[in-house]
Amino acid sequence: MTSAWPAPSVVAVSVLQVLGVVVGGPLLVGLMRKVRCRLEGRVGPPVHQPLLDLRKLARRERTRPDRASWIFSVVPVVLVATTLVIALVAPLLSTDPAFGWSADLFALIYLMLIGSVVLALGALDTGTAFGGMGASRAMTIGALSEPALLVAVLALSIPAHSSNVPTIVARSLAHPAWLATPQRLLSLVAFLIVIVAESGRLPVDNPSTHLELTMIHEAMILEYAGADLALIKLGESMRLIVLLALFADLFVPWGIATAPGVGHVVVGVVAIGAKVAALGVALAAFEVAVAKLRLFRVPELLAGAFVLAVLAVISALVVP
Amino acid sequence: MQEAAGRNRGSLQLRHVDAGSCNGCELEITSMSSPVYDVERFGIRLEASPRHVDGLLVTGPVTRNMADPLRRTFEAVPQPRVVVAVGDCALDCGVFAGAYGVQGSVCDVMPVDLAIPGCPPHPATIISALRGLAGT
């Protein structure tokens, strides 16, 4: 650990970040489902319904397709583990987390991509038609969203002269004027489109679809059961909350704890909770209003995100 | 029933299988998730994969062509699993009893844990029976 904070504060922040992501992820999914149901005129399940589902799934039988290999079984673990690493090192509550030196934006993005790639491998491993179809679709979208995300992130790291997330967040707090520059706004839009694509939400993918032919992400997890499925659902919700929290920290950093102390950390917890909940509610409301894009229109959307990200980089280089 | 309720504690996912129904029961099952009945508020959802669920929701008499797919779907559901037969046809073949394409009722093919009679059963009837399984 290279954090400048006293050890008890660093440990407390690390525990809070990991617990917040593990418990907050399913709650965020429940909140988004609730908002969606309310907007559709329904009461909807309680906000903690995903936690009830996980508790039940964790105790059910795990099944494995006849022809699947060990890859199928390690996918849920890798998915959750990579996300846990991000939850530990990313500056979600404080600008000086434990192992903050390793929280490089590129490293975090590729940690997240490891999760996407193993999911696709697990889907191919089942040997079913829908698994292969879902994997090929997810990789097509991933191949388009990854460069857009990388270039958007590059635009953020240019003015901060660092790709270390805690440094970027700390310097943005020191220079609030950065947050309204054209490169920030352009990369914000690109980042948002990529979050929607990577987390498999509308208009790119419909998480509640029952039609196998329209599935992208759901088609990849059709064969998982019991505790494996619980881990995958948990991992997916953790990825969503981590993406939204990173977005909040990079573009709306106010409230994050910049100094050790109970008061600062409490403010940090409340701030990140409120920001992520607000983003989740906005995303859910947006999902009710839009229809799913035809699969062949998705590349156009992601190409748009890429163009915005390139413009952000150009603007970051021209207008320092 | 009690056992399943204690196991699920507020979360029940089912896979719907139409074994040869006239689609009357399907209309009622679809309206369970409408704003009027909103079955999701009790933690009950219909899922796309038999691997993801706690049991099957079977409608219609079991036709010769659907007997094998129904059995395979049942075997794909992880243990412990329940089978819910919805509608008179699923219970005793209803008006289709003795028809040349019908192999039998659902209980001729697999053990049925919960039977919901009606032609078709009212959405509220189905929901209250399922709530017993979900424990909500």
Side-chain angles (χ1 to χ4, degrees):
Chain A
M1 286 194 224
T2 51
S3 177
W5 287 23
S9 298
V10 174
V11 171
V13 163
S14 309
V15 170
L16 279 174
Q17 283 195 177
V18 171
L19 271 184
V21 167
V22 171
V23 179
L27 286 178
L28 174 70
V29 170
L31 175 72
M32 290 176 68
R33 237 183 251 164
K34 190 79 176 173
V35 170
R36 190 184 170 87
C37 286
R38 279 297 163 101
L39 290 175
E40 287 173 352
R42 298 190 283 139
V43 177
V47 172
H48 64 278
Q49 183 67 41
L51 289 172
L52 297 178
D53 295 350
L54 290 180
R55 181 182 67 184
K56 185 205 66 190
L57 279 174
R59 284 178 305 190
R60 289 184 63 73
E61 184 198 4
R62 301 161 66 201
T63 59
R64 203 169 107 169
D66 298 336
R67 290 177 199 162
S69 68
W70 56 272
I71 294 176
F72 182 81
S73 318
V74 301
V75 167
V77 180
V78 175
L79 182 71
V80 171
T82 49
T83 319
L84 277 178
V85 173
I86 303 177
L88 179 66
V89 303
L92 304 180
L93 289 183
S94 89
T95 52
D96 201 357
F99 313 107
W101 52 269
S102 61
D104 185 89
L105 258 178
F106 297 93
L108 295 189
I109 286 168
Y110 279 100
L111 267 175
M112 205 159 272
L113 279 169
I114 289 177
S116 313
V117 171
V118 291
L119 257 182
L121 284 179
L124 288 173
D125 201 36
T126 61
T128 61
F130 287 129
M133 189 193 72
S136 91
R137 287 178 178 179
M139 285 297 98
T140 307
I141 290 173
L144 291 163
S145 64
E146 181 206 317
L149 186 58
L150 272 186
V151 178
V153 159
L154 185 63
L156 295 180
S157 62
I158 288 173
H161 299 291
S162 166
S163 62
N164 183 271
V165 191
T167 314
I168 296 178
V169 173
R171 294 200 181 149
S172 326
L173 272 175
H175 306 270
W178 282 4
L179 299 166
T181 51
Q183 69 257 34
R184 279 278 160 157
L185 299 176
L186 287 166
S187 82
L188 177 146
V189 178
F191 211 109
L192 262 186
I193 295 176
V194 170
I195 288 181
V196 168
E198 275 295 310
S199 56
R201 318 289 312 188
L202 283 170
V204 175
D205 187 10
N206 182 357
S208 54
T209 181
H210 286 187
L211 304 169
E212 285 87 351
L213 286 174
T214 67
M215 287 177 175
I216 300 175
H217 171 256
E218 291 296 310
M220 295 197 289
I221 63 170
L222 283 175
E223 287 290 337
Y224 283 97
D228 288 335
L229 182 65
L231 276 181
I232 287 197
K233 293 208 160 184
L234 178 67
E236 283 302 316
S237 60
M238 284 164 57
R239 276 156 63 96
L240 179 64
I241 198 171
V242 161
L243 274 172
L244 289 185
L246 273 179
F247 176 85
D249 277 342
L250 287 170
F251 295 98
V252 207
W254 296 284
I256 192 165
T258 48
V262 176
H264 288 286
V265 174
V266 168
V267 170
V269 171
V270 172
I272 194 71
K275 282 186 275 190
V276 167
L279 280 169
V281 169
L283 204 54
F286 172 71
E287 280 195 307
V288 175
V290 296
K292 184 172 172 293
L293 275 181
R294 207 148 44 86
L295 187 64
F296 296 111
R297 297 287 304 278
V298 172
E300 293 172 23
L301 178 74
L302 291 172
F306 182 70
V307 169
L308 290 175
V310 170
L311 287 175
V313 170
I314 293 172
S315 131
L317 291 170
V318 175
V319 196
Chain B
M1 277 286 286
Q2 291 297 320
E3 189 196 332
R7 195 167 61 222
N8 297 324
R9 286 199 287 172
S11 164
L12 179 72
Q13 279 83 50
L14 296 168
R15 166 78 195 176
H16 170 224
V17 180
D18 175 349
S21 161
C22 71
N23 280 180
C25 294
E26 275 66 31
L27 285 174
E28 306 303 320
I29 287 174
T30 308
S31 61
M32 286 198 318
S33 44
S34 68
V36 178
Y37 299 105
D38 190 24
V39 69
E40 219 187 323
R41 69 193 141 131
F42 304 116
I44 302 167
R45 282 198 315 274
L46 297 183
E47 292 268 344
S49 168
R51 299 283 192 201
H52 296 190
V53 298
D54 309 296
L56 299 180
L57 194 68
V58 189
T59 53
V62 181
T63 55
R64 289 182 199 284
N65 282 337
M66 279 305 288
D68 193 40
L70 177 61
R71 209 174 291 118
R72 279 161 57 194
T73 312
F74 175 68
E75 277 154 19
V77 178
Q79 299 277 9
R81 54 199 172 197
V82 292
V83 174
V84 184
V86 177
D88 286 345
C89 295
L91 303 187
D92 58 5
C93 300
V95 294
F96 299 109
Y100 71 94
V102 171
Q103 183 160 328
S105 63
V106 177
C107 61
D108 295 334
V109 180
M110 55 182 61
V112 171
D113 300 278
L114 178 61
I116 305 173
C119 185
H122 195 272
T125 315
I126 310 177
I127 292 176
S128 66
L130 292 182
R131 282 178 68 184
L133 272 185
T136 42

